[in-house]
Amino acid sequence: MGFWSIITSNLPGTRGTMLLAVLGLLSGVTVAVVVVTFRICIETLQSGFLPLSDPENYEGLSVPGRFLLAAAGGLLLGALFFLLARKDHCRVGVVHVLERLSYNEGNLPLKNALVQYLGGVIAIVTGQSVGREGPSIHLGAATGSILGQQMGLPNNSIRTLVACGSAGAIAASFNTPLAGVIFAMEVIMMEYTITGFAPVILAAVSATAINRLVFGSDIIFLVPPLQLALSGNCRSSC
């Protein structure tokens, strides 16, 4: 009996939770590598042509430059997805992940993930009105799913690895492990169980560790302190 046969045969048993936890940790590291390279690719391209080498400085471009960049990106994306329309490879994003979970037991194809990677880079770099959330979730879920498929795991374990991949993708992309865990449990698994909770947490934590190793521990989203100011009329009436 081979190594993977031993693992799959033990998944339904009492050692299944421990084995899934190890697989969750493995998927978190693998997903982090994919998502971190995705982010590095985007930021490297942005720094190459945006003023002051600032990946967010689209305002520094001239008005015609912004228009031409977005138009060129839209045309390129349109041509890409037009060519792939008949091959069923153009289905990407969170909706694609949920569809595959509902009708295909979480088995996500590799070709769609590659299209998502390329399309996501083009869309974000050219300033389209999208972010890293959808592409990262798709890439993370697909990585977890493909990992499970290659190991020959049963469908319920693949679904768990899809949740691990989604949690790890959010954690690795935005340095937000708790948000990744909540999203995976609420949206992907739609239930809280010990069997699913442990691997999802390990995936998010391991992915966050890889993210901080590469990008540091800086918070990506800074929320300034807010103070409520009451008008004079409100003070007198209250």
Side-chain angles (χ1 to χ4, degrees):
M1 182 178 291
F3 177 69
W4 299 124
S5 300
I6 296 175
I7 288 184
T8 54
S9 64
N10 280 291
L11 280 173
T14 57
R15 288 183 289 180
T17 302
M18 182 64 68
L19 291 172
L20 275 177
V22 174
L23 291 175
L25 182 65
L26 176 62
S27 68
V29 174
T30 308
V31 167
V33 172
V34 174
V35 173
V36 165
T37 58
F38 179 67
R39 179 179 169 183
I40 290 175
C41 182
I42 292 171
E43 294 183 353
T44 301
L45 291 174
Q46 288 172 326
S47 300
F49 70 90
L50 289 176
L52 304 177
S53 298
D54 183 358
E56 301 293 333
N57 192 21
Y58 285 90
E59 294 82 0
L61 296 173
S62 64
V63 174
R66 277 178 270 173
F67 173 78
L68 291 175
L69 179 64
L75 290 173
L76 186 57
L77 287 170
L80 173 65
F81 285 97
F82 177 78
L83 293 174
L84 296 173
R86 297 182 179 180
K87 299 180 180 178
D88 200 33
H89 297 161
C90 59
R91 297 179 181 272
V92 296
V94 180
V95 175
H96 172 66
V97 174
L98 297 178
E99 177 186 357
R100 299 295 295 190
L101 281 169
S102 299
Y103 300 108
N104 299 90
E105 299 295 340
N107 291 274
L108 278 80
L110 174 61
K111 292 181 180 179
N112 292 66
L114 294 176
V115 172
Q116 174 67 96
Y117 195 105
L118 178 60
V121 169
I122 295 173
I124 296 173
V125 169
T126 57
Q128 310 299 319
S129 57
V130 296
R132 295 200 309 268
E133 301 88 353
S136 296
I137 292 170
H138 181 185
L139 291 173
T143 302
S145 175
I146 293 169
L147 185 65
Q149 294 175 53
Q150 293 299 314
M151 292 181 178
L153 301 182
N155 290 332
N156 60 336
S157 300
I158 292 178
R159 292 175 66 90
T160 301
L161 288 185
V162 169
C164 292
S166 301
I170 295 176
S173 186
F174 301 104
N175 194 16
T176 53
L178 183 58
V181 172
I182 293 175
F183 176 86
M185 302 305 293
E186 293 282 351
V187 179
I188 303 299
M189 301 195 73
M190 294 188 292
E191 61 178 354
Y192 286 88
T193 61
I194 297 299
T195 303
F197 203 50
V200 167
I201 289 179
L202 286 172
V205 171
S206 59
T208 303
I210 300 295
N211 170 277
R212 294 185 178 182
L213 183 65
V214 177
F215 297 107
S217 57
D218 294 339
I219 299 175
I220 296 179
F221 299 108
L222 296 175
V223 180
L226 301 176
Q227 292 182 348
L228 296 178
L230 300 178
S231 64
N233 294 332
C234 182
R235 289 194 188 95
S236 61
S237 62
C238 294

